[in-house]
Amino acid sequence: MAIGTAGYTAMLAIIALEKNGVSPDKGEVLVTGANGGVGSFSIALLSSLGYRVVASTGRLAESAYLKQLGAAEIIDRATLAEPGRPLARERWAGAIDSVGSHTLANICASTRYRGTVAACGLAQGMAFPASVAPLILRGVTLAGIDSVMRPRQDRIEAWARLATDLGPAALALITREIRLSEVIETAHRLTDGQVRGRVVVDTGR
Ligand SMILES: NC(=O)c1ccc[n+]([C@@H]2O[C@H](COP(=O)([O-])OP(=O)(O)OC[C@H]3O[C@@H](n4cnc5c(N)ncnc54)[C@H](OP(=O)(O)O)[C@@H]3O)[C@@H](O)[C@H]2O)c1
C-alpha cells in the first residue's frame, strides 16, 4: 500500500518516457509536485535509474528530503506557474508533471528537441493553456498517463519494474504510517499541502 497508486503512476510515467526514447544520457528530467506521492516516487525511481533529476516544489524547506530521494537540483514551482512564451530555452530531456495548467504549458515550451513530457496530474489546474509550437517545431511528445483503465499487460509491466527499480530505503523515506484515528487530522494537513510523500493507514491500530 505504501507504493499505491502514486508509485504505480510514477512508474507508468517513466515507462512512457523510456518508450519515447528518453534515457539518462539525453539530459535532465524535471519532476513537478515533487513532495507529493507521484513526485516523490518519480524522483526516487528516476534517480535510481541514473537520471539527473530536477525537482520543482512550492516547499523549498523540504529540499533535504528531495535530495535524499535523489534530486540533483531543486527549483521553486513559482518559476513555472505563470503564463509563459510558446517556446522557451530548451532544457528538459523529459518531464513528469503532476501539476497541469501553466506549469505543464511551460514545461512543454522548455522541453528539448524530441523530448517527452508525461502528464499525470492537475494539482495546479485542469486547464492546458499551451500552444502546439513545442510539438510541431521541436517534435516534443506529450504522453498522457492514465492509471485507472490501463490494460493488464501495462499493469504487470509497471509493477514488475517497481519490484526491481524501487529500493526499500526510498520506500521507507517516502512513507509514513498512521493509525486510523489520525486520518481526519492527516487529511486536513494533506489538503493544506503539508503532507509529503505517502501516508499508509494501519486500520488495525
Ligand atoms: N493520471 C493518473 O492516473 C493519476 C494517478 C495518481 C494521481 N494523479 C493526479 O496526479 C496529481 C498528483 O497526485 P499525488 O497523489 O502525488 O498528489 P499529492 O500527494 O497531493 O501531491 C501533489 C503535489 O503537487 C504540488 N502542488 C499542490 N498544489 C499545487 C499548485 N496549486 N500548484 C503547483 N503545484 C501544486 C505539491 O507539491 P510541492 O509541495 O512539492 O510543490 C503537492 O505535494 C494529482 O492531481 C492527482 O489527481 C493522477
Side-chain angles (χ1 to χ4, degrees):
M1 284 320 296
I3 296 174
T5 302
Y8 159 60
T9 302
M11 196 72 245
L12 289 173
I14 290 170
I15 291 170
L17 297 186
E18 292 171 345
K19 288 191 170 158
N20 285 291
V22 179
S23 51
D25 58 304
K26 296 276 170 59
E28 300 174 301
V29 174
L30 175 69
V31 174
T32 60
N35 277 291
V38 176
S40 294
F41 279 105
S42 296
I43 294 168
L45 286 162
L46 286 166
S47 130
S48 81
L49 291 166
Y51 289 88
R52 185 178 196 277
V53 184
V54 178
S56 166
T57 182
R59 284 180 270 175
L60 295 168
E62 294 287 3
S63 294
Y65 163 72
L66 299 174
K67 289 210 162 149
Q68 255 184 301
L69 283 178
E73 187 181 334
I74 321 286
I75 62 171
D76 189 333
R77 77 185 190 198
T79 61
L80 295 165
E82 301 298 326
R85 286 177 294 161
L87 287 175
R89 185 176 67 83
E90 292 179 52
R91 177 160 186 193
W92 318 116
I96 298 180
D97 177 55
S98 294
V99 170
S101 190
H102 292 298
T103 298
L104 179 57
N106 286 326
I107 294 169
C108 291
S110 53
T111 295
R112 288 163 71 162
Y113 183 70
R114 291 182 73 80
T116 295
V117 180
C120 27
L122 71 170
Q124 185 184 359
M126 199 188 279
F128 181 38
S131 88
V132 295
L135 314 187
I136 63 172
L137 297 177
R138 291 182 179 160
V140 168
T141 297
L142 181 56
I145 305 301
D146 148 63
S147 66
V148 178
M149 303 300 288
R150 287 306 272 246
R152 183 173 159 76
Q153 194 48 47
D154 288 10
R155 294 168 185 275
I156 291 171
E157 182 183 5
W159 285 102
R161 286 286 302 275
L162 284 162
T164 56
D165 296 359
L166 184 69
L171 196 56
L173 196 57
I174 293 169
T175 314
R176 191 167 64 87
E177 202 172 287
I178 61 168
R179 296 189 297 270
L180 192 57
S181 59
E182 294 172 277
V183 165
I184 293 175
E185 186 257 328
T186 306
H188 287 306
R189 291 185 52 243
L190 189 105
T191 50
D192 288 345
Q194 291 169 11
V195 172
R196 72 178 196 204
R198 221 52 329 188
V199 176
V200 174
V201 182
D202 181 351
T203 53
R205 285 199 296 142

